[in-house]
Amino acid sequence: MRVNNSMKLSFPSKSQNEAFARIVVAAFASQLDPSIEELADVKTAVSEAVTNAIIHAYENTIGPVEIEARLLNHETVEIIVKDFGKGIEDIEKAREPLYTSKPELERSGMGFTIMENFMDSLEVESTLGRGTTVKMVKTFKSIKNRE
Amino acid sequence: MRVNNSMKLSFPSKSQNEAFARIVVAAFASQLDPSIEELADVKTAVSEAVTNAIIHAYENTIGPVEIEARLLNHETVEIIVKDFGKGIEDIEKAREPLYTSKPELERSGMGFTIMENFMDSLEVESTLGRGTTVKMVKTFKSIKNRE
Amino acid sequence: MNISFSLQKNWLIIKLSGELDHHNTNYIRKKIDNKISQEYIKHIVFNLKNLTFTDSSGVGMILGRYKKIKKRGGITGVVNLNPQVKRVFEISGLFKVIKYFNSIKEAIDYFEEV
Amino acid sequence: MNISFSLQKNWLIIKLSGELDHHNTNYIRKKIDNKISQEYIKHIVFNLKNLTFTDSSGVGMILGRYKKIKKRGGITGVVNLNPQVKRVFEISGLFKVIKYFNSIKEAIDYFEEV
Ligand SMILES: Nc1ncnc2c1ncn2[C@@H]1O[C@H](COP(=O)(O)OP(=O)(O)O)[C@@H](O)[C@H]1O
Ligand SMILES: Nc1ncnc2c1ncn2[C@@H]1O[C@H](COP(=O)(O)OP(=O)(O)O)[C@@H](O)[C@H]1O
């Protein structure tokens, strides 16, 4: 596993940064030259993770959101989205499709399900009152096929 | 002076990150909705500062490059590009048009001149053996005119 | 993010363009709810031809409108989905409750009948 | 970043597309130097219609080729500059030594005469 490039980004939990985070991670991952669909998958997963930090971790306050990304070998991207917000009590329940703690905000409860489906793997770590870290990995199969 | 948004990015001094850095800062600054020309100016200045960190600060080694950016009021962007490389001995001389310490690499010596011309202000701080910090500010006049 | 409306008899076409995420769902939600508060609107169709991106926040917003429309016995549909939007809707199970039309024409024919 | 060449008598048109920065000047420099090592090439013109971005690294690369071409008594020109590229060239003083043509036709006419 060779790390060929890496980056770290941080920004305040303002909703205008959801689009910004998508652009940054997509620009970084596009160095591997994935397909349009694969890049769209990454953007979607990042959008979900960043939105969760903004809505759930910090609720109506402003705190830092951090994204780390690494390009592994020549076809894999690893993305970590981290917040220092309220944390998740029951991760298993949180990851269930349709579960949301904020139905009043019309949340669909599908964020984690989308991250899981659009990426190859998803790991969630959380400590109550300390924050949450989401780690996602995706191997761009279109690259392997091209070689 | 109100800071309405901010971001911090860091990445290794690899030349493939020059384009990445331009995209990130442009995406961030575009939250202010500047004109195409103003955004191109920002991209150019960032490209110069990041390239200098890669070529001059770290020469043929890899070290961290950091970019901080802030949106001030509703029309000004402040950008700081920082390296921890070899530093500049004579900043005044370095800022002179056409001066380059690396003519063998076909450097034009116009990097600082372009940063100065494309942005409203440029401050350079450097400590030998410690690194260099370049701070640039630009107010998007097209926004003021629009209001 | 842009939104525009057009009315055909008792059904409303809602055209969205740009990227629909949590940042702009509030604005879009208000615009739509303001429009559908007019009682003669029974059904709604989202024309998403120019929607280049969405995520589960967009799904939540559409489901919210679906619930309002369902209360008055109306149907909610979508048409012209780009591949990313379609995948998000599929994985979210949105098509279990929202009608997927292949074209505006198909939607017109459908609503002419119901 | 893409590069292509076309030859007209003893002058070479070099077409660049994409973004020319320090990251890709090495590659572009080698491609061009390999081509102009052929002695019958006297003048060169950069057609930059599809060059969407450059900075002082691009300026350095062009000046480097200019010096080589000048040694054999040739002229270096540029044509079709987008606004960002033109501004970078202007501030760098590139037009003091590089000829700016308004069109490929103007370049052709010029080289027919010299
Ligand atoms: N970063 C986070 N910090 C705190 N709680 C979170 C975070 N991310 C997710 N959660 C919890 O997990 C639940 C499920 O998340 P998700 O599947 O993305 O659906 P939704 O965002 O629609 O609620 C959320 O409702 C919330 O309670
Ligand atoms: N980040 C940096 N670290 C060390 N030296 C630098 C840095 N930036 C600029 N310099 C010095 O300043 C000189 C002038 O820089 P610049 O105007 O950008 O021209 P160029 O990059 O073409 O040499 C460089 O040649 C180098 O000696």
Side-chain angles (χ1 to χ4, degrees):
Chain A
M1 199 76 97
R2 222 186 102 97
V3 178
N4 286 307
N5 201 4
S6 61
M7 70 96 180
K8 188 171 169 177
L9 175 75
S10 70
F11 52 84
S13 58
K14 296 184 165 202
S15 66
Q16 73 207 78
N17 290 325
E18 291 158 5
F20 173 60
R22 291 197 296 270
I23 297 174
V24 173
V25 177
F28 184 73
S30 71
Q31 294 184 346
L32 293 178
D33 200 19
S35 70
I36 293 173
E37 289 73 28
E38 288 167 332
L39 208 55
D41 287 355
V42 168
K43 280 178 86 165
T44 314
V46 167
S47 199
E48 297 295 351
V50 169
T51 301
N52 278 353
I54 292 171
I55 300 179
H56 300 300
Y58 295 114
E59 296 187 289
N60 294 317
T61 64
I62 298 292
V65 181
E66 287 182 7
I67 300 182
E68 283 181 60
R70 269 179 281 280
L71 304 183
L72 306 176
N73 303 329
H74 290 286
E75 68 288 318
T76 300
V77 63
E78 181 186 282
I79 300 163
I80 293 167
V81 179
K82 201 180 212 154
D83 66 62
F84 308 89
K86 72 171 199 181
I88 304 177
E89 208 176 311
D90 184 342
I91 294 180
E92 213 178 314
K93 189 166 129 200
R95 290 180 68 154
E96 275 171 21
L98 301 173
Y99 172 78
T100 179
S101 57
K102 294 218 183 303
E104 73 281 10
L105 294 183
E106 294 194 344
R107 304 301 302 158
S108 62
M110 295 307 289
F112 279 132
T113 307
I114 286 177
M115 289 181 241
E116 264 180 21
N117 271 280
F118 282 44
M119 303 292 281
D120 295 341
S121 76
L122 169 71
E123 286 168 37
V124 185
E125 274 178 33
S126 192
T127 312
L128 270 182
R130 281 293 191 81
T132 300
T133 300
V134 166
K135 180 174 153 186
M136 304 181 279
V137 179
K138 188 177 183 78
T139 296
F140 297 130
K141 289 166 193 89
S142 71
I143 296 169
K144 287 201 162 157
N145 295 344
R146 261 179 270 155
E147 275 162 16
Chain B
M1 197 78 96
R2 222 186 102 99
V3 178
N4 285 308
N5 201 4
S6 61
M7 69 97 179
K8 187 171 169 177
L9 175 74
S10 69
F11 52 83
S13 58
K14 297 184 166 206
S15 66
Q16 74 209 76
N17 290 326
E18 292 157 7
F20 174 60
R22 293 197 295 271
I23 297 174
V24 173
V25 178
F28 184 73
S30 71
Q31 293 184 348
L32 292 178
D33 200 18
S35 70
I36 293 172
E37 290 73 29
E38 289 166 331
L39 207 55
D41 287 356
V42 168
K43 279 178 86 165
T44 314
V46 167
S47 199
E48 298 295 350
V50 169
T51 301
N52 279 352
I54 291 170
I55 299 179
H56 300 300
Y58 295 114
E59 297 187 290
N60 295 316
T61 63
I62 298 292
V65 181
E66 286 183 8
I67 301 181
E68 282 180 60
R70 269 180 280 279
L71 305 183
L72 306 176
N73 303 330
H74 290 286
E75 68 289 319
T76 299
V77 64
E78 181 187 281
I79 300 162
I80 292 167
V81 179
K82 201 181 213 153
D83 66 62
F84 308 89
K86 72 172 201 184
I88 304 176
E89 209 177 313
D90 184 343
I91 295 180
E92 214 178 313
K93 191 165 127 200
R95 291 180 67 152
E96 276 171 20
L98 301 175
Y99 172 77
T100 179
S101 57
K102 292 217 185 301
E104 75 281 9
L105 294 184
E106 293 192 343
R107 302 302 303 159
S108 62
M110 296 306 290
F112 279 132
T113 308
I114 286 177
M115 288 181 243
E116 264 178 21
N117 271 280
F118 281 44
M119 303 292 282
D120 295 342
S121 76
L122 169 72
E123 287 169 35
V124 185
E125 273 179 33
S126 192
T127 311
L128 272 182
R130 280 294 192 80
T132 300
T133 301
V134 166
K135 181 174 153 185
M136 306 182 278
V137 179
K138 188 177 184 79
T139 296
F140 298 129
K141 292 173 190 82
S142 71
I143 295 168
K144 285 201 161 158
N145 295 343
R146 261 178 271 154
E147 273 162 15
Chain C
M1 188 76 237
N2 266 309
I3 180 166
S4 67
F5 299 97
S6 59
L7 195 66
Q8 308 238 4
K9 298 184 180 169
N10 66 346
W11 57 287
L12 181 74
I13 303 181
I14 303 165
K15 207 168 167 177
L16 299 179
S17 60
E19 305 205 331
L20 177 64
D21 63 8
H22 159 251
H23 178 61
N24 46 39
T25 42
N26 258 343
Y27 167 78
I28 296 298
R29 173 186 302 118
K30 272 183 206 150
K31 285 266 178 189
I32 297 175
D33 284 355
N34 185 39
K35 200 83 186 178
I36 62 178
S37 65
Q38 295 159 328
E39 276 160 32
Y40 54 84
I41 293 172
K42 186 157 187 205
H43 313 292
I44 57 173
V45 178
F46 288 90
N47 180 355
L48 303 182
K49 188 163 192 255
N50 298 315
L51 191 75
T52 52
F53 177 89
T54 196
D55 60 15
S56 74
S57 303
V59 170
M61 190 280 288
I62 290 179
L63 281 176
R65 308 295 78 45
Y66 155 79
K67 283 175 194 160
K68 289 204 161 195
I69 289 297
K70 198 185 157 201
K71 268 192 199 146
R72 60 177 81 157
I75 286 156
T76 300
V78 289
V79 64
N80 295 330
L81 307 184
N82 99 13
Q84 190 270 346
V85 173
K86 195 168 180 185
R87 258 198 93 192
V88 168
F89 287 0
E90 269 167 358
I91 287 166
S92 306
L94 201 70
F95 298 128
K96 286 177 201 150
V97 290
I98 307 275
K99 236 188 125 44
Y100 174 58
F101 296 109
N102 284 303
S103 63
I104 286 285
K105 165 125 198 3
E106 199 180 294
I108 293 177
D109 292 348
Y110 185 87
F111 287 116
E112 290 295 331
E113 276 178 45
V114 292
Chain D
M1 189 75 236
N2 267 308
I3 181 164
S4 66
F5 299 99
S6 58
L7 195 67
Q8 309 238 4
K9 297 185 182 168
N10 66 346
W11 57 287
L12 181 73
I13 304 181
I14 302 164
K15 208 166 165 177
L16 299 179
S17 61
E19 306 205 333
L20 178 64
D21 63 8
H22 159 251
H23 178 62
N24 46 39
T25 42
N26 259 343
Y27 166 78
I28 297 297
R29 174 186 300 119
K30 273 182 207 153
K31 286 265 180 190
I32 297 175
D33 285 356
N34 184 39
K35 201 82 185 176
I36 62 179
S37 65
Q38 295 159 330
E39 276 160 30
Y40 54 83
I41 293 172
K42 188 159 186 205
H43 312 293
I44 57 173
V45 178
F46 288 90
N47 181 354
L48 303 182
K49 188 164 192 253
N50 297 316
L51 191 77
T52 51
F53 176 88
T54 197
D55 60 15
S56 73
S57 304
V59 171
M61 190 279 289
I62 290 179
L63 282 175
R65 310 295 76 46
Y66 154 78
K67 282 175 193 161
K68 289 204 160 195
I69 289 296
K70 199 188 158 200
K71 269 191 197 147
R72 59 177 80 156
I75 286 157
T76 300
V78 289
V79 63
N80 294 331
L81 307 184
N82 100 14
Q84 190 271 346
V85 173
K86 194 167 181 187
R87 258 199 93 191
V88 168
F89 287 0
E90 269 167 357
I91 285 165
S92 306
L94 201 71
F95 298 129
K96 287 176 201 149
V97 291
I98 305 274
K99 238 190 122 47
Y100 173 57
F101 297 111
N102 285 303
S103 62
I104 286 286
K105 166 124 196 359
E106 199 180 292
I108 293 176
D109 293 348
Y110 185 84
F111 286 116
E112 291 294 333
E113 277 179 43
V114 291

